[in-house]
Amino acid sequence: MTDPHSGSAVPRRRTAFAEGAEHLRAAATTEPGRLRIIGAVLALLVIAFGAVTAWQTSGRAAAAEDVIERSQPLTADAAAIYVSLADANTAAASGFLAEGQEPAAVRERYEDDIATAARKLTTAAANSKGSGTASDGIAKLNALLPEYAERIETARTYNRQGLPLGGAYLRNANDLMQTEMLPAAKELYDAEKARLGADYDAAKSYPWAAIALGLLALAALAWAQRRNYRRTNRVFNLGLVTATGTAAAVLLWLLAGHTVAFAALSDSYDNGVRSLNVLNDARISTLQARSNENLTLVARGAVTVPVGPNAGQDKYDVDYRALMRKLGDGGTDRAGMGTLGAALHHADDDDGRVPVEKAMGAVKEWQKRHKAARDADMQGDYEKARDRVIGDDEATGESFDRADQALEQAVAHEQRDFRGAAQDGRGAMTGLPVGAAVVAVLGATGAVLGIGRRLSEYR
């Protein structure tokens, strides 16, 4: 570039970056300059280590908090909706079998189940923001629940009058429950389980960036101290030793805290969430099996399987047998065990195993009593079959109640186990984000002061 008046060349103006780089190169040719650069780099590394540690651990602590206070409770609510709907359907069919003498306890159980489902749906709607699948399932169930209740009331009205039309309405309500409501409840349950799994993944993921920065900071501090020793023959620099100690303390705190948190959260999932999943599946299968058993007598052969290997057989009895196979016999062969066997496998203490074993025993007894009731029904003795299902003496209802109560007890125990272990995991990260930031500032200050002590020797 030339000056238009003089014709002489005009020097090109240098950028601020270029000037800064030149000053840095010039500083690096002197020991004080090199020390200033080293001090700045050490301080930045320690501060970056503390900042990244605080950021990553705060995110994991928040995810652990979500596991305990948001996603797992929502998963439990979704399971409660599923169980309440299945139980309401079972109670409605049980009350129908009593014809005009529906027991007050059965009626109360049905009403409690409907109220619980409505209440849990309200809670889920308020807390399931951001999940399209969950929102769609909740909206569908909210729309169908009044319709189902209306069909059950119509069935009861006709049943009290002794009209066969009541059975048709009950089957119609059951079809609504089985084909639309329970699948929607299952989708909601699956969506909340997926969210719980995502929160677990976020809480358990290792803070690799923070660990890498911590190791880099320690390596740089060690190099700076070795350099200082070689130039001054002084073994220790108090500031650099302080910076090294604080960085090492934060790194050890990070590794120990996250390791404990990871172990506790893994325990809460393996021995809590997994157990709850199979127990909820077992309980739902038990409720649906009881509903199908009742409907077998209500329908009296009016509903059969249209095609397939079971064509012509009573549809509700076929469904009952399928659900019993799903429950399994609790054998130790993991490849072929049912949900009860899986629940027993996941139970990690006697408080978890004993109720599952009780449920298994009750289900076995239930199957024996069901066969007797079914034999009586097939021989045309409807009254005897009904007594063996809802009567007071060795009825299948007694076995069902024992199984359901045992599974409810097992669920409550696993819920407590989950919460205790998950809280331990959250507690292991308590204070780490703030502590890491504070200690990192102290370490950076120590590094600057340590380098400053060396610089003072050049003045």
Side-chain angles (χ1 to χ4, degrees):
M1 183 176 180
T2 59
D3 188 321
H5 300 291
S6 63
S8 60
V10 177
R12 183 184 299 274
R13 185 170 181 177
R14 303 173 65 196
T15 65
F17 177 80
E19 290 180 356
E22 183 175 342
H23 286 308
L24 189 62
R25 283 194 297 271
T29 61
T30 66
E31 182 62 13
R34 285 192 287 268
L35 286 173
R36 290 187 182 95
I37 294 171
I38 291 170
V41 171
L42 291 177
L44 284 174
L45 277 174
V46 175
I47 288 292
F49 170 44
V52 173
T53 298
W55 168 57
Q56 291 199 307
T57 54
S58 63
R60 283 151 183 77
E65 181 75 14
D66 284 342
V67 165
I68 298 170
E69 303 298 342
R70 185 178 65 93
S71 52
Q72 202 285 325
L74 282 174
T75 303
D77 283 347
I81 291 168
Y82 201 158
V83 168
S84 296
L85 292 174
D87 194 49
N89 202 47
T90 299
S94 296
F96 196 90
L97 275 181
E99 297 178 348
Q101 304 298 320
E102 181 181 18
V106 174
R107 174 75 182 195
E108 183 179 356
R109 181 170 180 166
Y110 165 82
E111 291 175 348
D112 286 347
D113 285 332
I114 294 297
T116 297
R119 185 175 67 255
K120 294 293 185 181
L121 282 169
T122 301
T123 302
N127 293 283
S128 293
K129 297 175 182 178
S131 173
T133 301
S135 298
D136 292 346
I138 291 167
K140 184 174 183 178
L141 288 170
N142 274 323
L144 292 177
L145 190 60
E147 182 180 345
Y148 171 80
E150 182 180 353
R151 294 185 188 185
I152 290 296
E153 290 308 313
T154 303
R156 282 194 175 115
T157 299
Y158 284 119
N159 191 45
R160 284 194 296 269
Q161 297 171 2
L163 300 175
L165 193 57
Y169 270 96
L170 181 67
R171 294 194 298 273
N172 185 258
N174 177 72
D175 288 344
L176 178 65
M177 178 65 74
Q178 299 292 343
T179 61
E180 296 190 55
M181 297 179 71
L182 288 181
K186 181 67 163 56
E187 287 182 7
L188 173 61
Y189 181 43
D190 289 342
E192 297 300 347
K193 283 200 298 184
R195 177 153 55 170
L196 175 60
D199 285 341
Y200 261 109
D201 290 342
K204 291 166 60 179
S205 61
Y206 262 89
W208 294 116
I211 293 171
L213 271 173
L215 292 174
L216 180 61
L218 285 175
L221 285 164
W223 172 83
Q225 290 176 87
R226 183 173 181 273
R227 181 181 186 277
N228 182 65
Y229 170 71
R230 293 180 66 181
R231 279 168 170 72
T232 66
N233 206 33
R234 294 169 187 165
V235 178
F236 296 113
N237 177 291
L238 185 58
L240 293 178
V241 169
T242 300
T244 304
T246 56
V250 171
L251 183 59
L252 288 174
W253 189 4
L254 172 64
L255 291 172
H258 194 275
T259 299
V260 172
F262 183 91
L265 288 169
S266 296
D267 180 58
S268 74
Y269 186 85
D270 293 339
N271 297 316
V273 173
R274 283 182 177 174
S275 292
L276 286 168
N277 288 342
V278 294
L279 284 168
N280 285 326
D281 288 345
R283 195 174 181 202
I284 291 164
S285 294
T286 302
L287 291 166
Q288 290 181 311
R290 177 62 176 172
S291 178
N292 280 303
E293 181 180 54
N294 292 334
L295 286 165
T296 301
L297 291 178
V298 171
R300 300 190 184 186
V303 182
T304 59
V305 179
V307 295
N310 297 313
Q313 297 183 36
D314 186 286
K315 177 184 180 301
Y316 299 116
D317 190 56
V318 170
D319 289 345
Y320 165 87
R321 296 198 303 268
L323 288 163
M324 282 296 170
R325 287 193 296 273
K326 183 178 179 181
L327 285 169
D329 61 3
T332 56
D333 178 13
R334 291 189 62 191
M337 70 169 59
T339 49
L340 285 175
L344 186 63
H345 171 75
H346 285 298
D348 64 332
D349 57 23
D350 288 342
D351 288 339
R353 283 188 288 269
V354 169
V356 176
E357 289 170 348
K358 288 181 180 178
M360 290 163 57
V363 167
K364 288 180 180 179
E365 184 63 30
W366 180 5
Q367 290 174 317
K368 293 177 184 177
R369 295 180 180 184
H370 174 83
K371 184 178 184 306
R374 189 68 182 140
D375 289 343
D377 189 33
M378 294 297 290
Q379 292 167 10
D381 193 341
Y382 174 79
E383 297 295 330
K384 182 178 180 181
R386 189 184 66 178
D387 288 344
R388 288 189 174 277
V389 172
I390 63 169
D392 297 326
D393 184 23
E394 295 187 352
T396 60
E398 180 184 342
S399 300
F400 159 73
D401 286 339
R402 285 205 305 270
D404 186 56
Q405 290 165 8
L407 289 172
E408 185 177 11
Q409 179 184 350
V411 167
H413 168 73
E414 297 300 342
Q415 185 71 33
R416 290 191 297 270
D417 266 9
F418 154 78
R419 194 165 186 87
Q423 286 175 336
D424 288 343
R426 178 181 59 182
M429 289 186 279
T430 300
L432 183 52
V434 175
V438 171
V439 175
V441 170
L442 294 176
T445 303
V448 170
L449 291 176
I451 295 298
R453 180 61 182 266
R454 283 282 294 121
L455 281 171
S456 66
E457 298 173 1
Y458 289 90
R459 294 172 187 158

